[in-house]
Amino acid sequence: QQQVKQSPQSLIVQKGGISIINCAYENTAFDYFPWYQQFPGKGPALLIAIRPDVSEKKEGRFTISFNKSAKQFSLHIMDSQPGDSATYFCAPGYSGAGSYQLTFGKGTKLSVIP
Amino acid sequence: NAGVTQTPKFQVLKTGQSMTLQCAQDMNHNSMYWYRQDPGMGLRLIYYSASEGTTDKGEVPNGYNVSRLNKREFSLRLESAAPSQTSVYFCASQDRGSGNTIYFGEGSWLTVV
């Protein structure tokens, strides 16, 4: 079964628009909800993350919204720029035996057109 | 600060050959990981090491072995490469004391023909 479902698979947004990517999960043990950003030819890098004790976190143009009861969290990119064009992964995780386990979604390829 | 360094960057193998992907981190992190990334599949965990001296299987360990040589280094070995192992491999490390951020290397592109 698929523990993490990310949508949409791809997204095209005009410059200045709002990009919204969603992530649904099944494991109620998850207690850490990050989004990773990956540019072509590079490794993923942490973009923003949230803990379940808050419903929203904002860092610049990037906002995570978290809905614990629905087991969903989303990434909002305001005033989207061509430089935001990348693949985004949600990767909820929990404190496993001595190591933090992340379960990655399949990714959303965002293209921001001028 | 180099972060997580992987070698080689690119490699072509013939079916049945063996090879080792090397990974080193200079951030004094306890946990290290090996992931593979395939189109439309996201990142899947192959093996991880919570601390020096320990290793555990992830989601897709078959066909791979790992060695946590010391705190800095975590290698991934393909004993008998198969075309299904054609993928991009990422090494990563994590310091749980810094908010659980996982830092990735730049990837190793492996093709098995």
Side-chain angles (χ1 to χ4, degrees):
Chain A
Q1 70 263 28
Q2 192 175 352
Q3 286 198 57
V4 176
K5 292 184 180 180
Q6 187 175 336
S7 61
Q9 276 189 304
S10 62
L11 183 61
I12 299 174
V13 173
Q14 283 205 311
K15 179 182 175 181
I18 302 173
S19 304
I20 302 174
I21 305 171
N22 300 299
C23 187
Y25 62 93
E26 297 175 1
N27 191 340
T28 55
F30 288 153
D31 59 1
Y32 175 63
F33 302 92
W35 285 95
Y36 277 77
Q37 179 187 56
Q38 184 181 29
F39 293 106
K42 300 292 185 182
L46 178 67
L47 180 64
I48 187 171
I50 198 169
R51 299 282 179 182
D53 52 342
V54 296
S55 60
E56 186 174 282
K57 181 177 180 179
K58 183 176 180 180
E59 290 183 357
R61 297 184 294 107
F62 301 92
T63 300
I64 290 185
S65 297
F66 178 66
N67 186 329
K68 187 174 181 178
S69 61
K71 292 187 286 184
Q72 293 181 348
F73 63 110
S74 60
L75 175 68
H76 296 236
I77 306 174
M78 311 299 288
D79 186 27
S80 298
Q81 299 296 312
D84 297 329
S85 297
T87 299
Y88 293 82
F89 295 94
C90 63
Y94 66 95
S95 300
S99 184
Y100 223 93
Q101 300 287 324
L102 299 185
T103 302
F104 282 82
K106 294 187 176 182
T108 296
K109 186 174 182 179
L110 171 65
S111 300
V112 181
I113 54 177
Chain B
N1 191 345
V4 179
T5 304
Q6 297 179 228
T7 56
K9 183 87 169 178
F10 300 97
Q11 184 71 49
V12 178
L13 282 179
K14 292 183 178 179
T15 297
Q17 285 185 320
S18 62
M19 78 158 297
T20 300
L21 298 176
Q22 307 286 354
C23 176
Q25 52 94 5
D26 62 3
M27 295 175 281
N28 201 36
H29 289 168
N30 290 313
S31 300
M32 296 187 73
Y33 305 81
W34 276 105
Y35 289 89
R36 61 177 288 174
Q37 184 174 29
D38 302 290
M41 297 295 291
L43 288 102
R44 293 181 293 170
L45 182 64
I46 305 171
Y47 270 93
Y48 68 96
S49 171
S51 60
E52 185 179 354
T54 68
T55 60
D56 284 286
K57 295 178 180 179
E59 180 186 355
V60 288
N62 291 343
Y64 305 96
N65 284 302
V66 291
S67 296
R68 183 75 182 266
L69 304 171
N70 48 55
K71 192 172 185 179
R72 289 187 65 246
E73 298 172 287
F74 188 39
S75 62
L76 178 71
R77 182 160 178 85
L78 286 69
E79 291 291 351
S80 179
S84 61
Q85 294 178 304
T86 294
S87 188
V88 183
Y89 291 86
F90 288 98
C91 179
S93 71
Q94 178 190 46
D95 180 359
R96 295 191 66 189
S98 69
N100 299 308
T101 302
I102 289 183
Y103 298 85
F104 286 84
E106 298 226 319
S108 297
W109 273 252
L110 177 65
T111 301
V112 182
V113 298

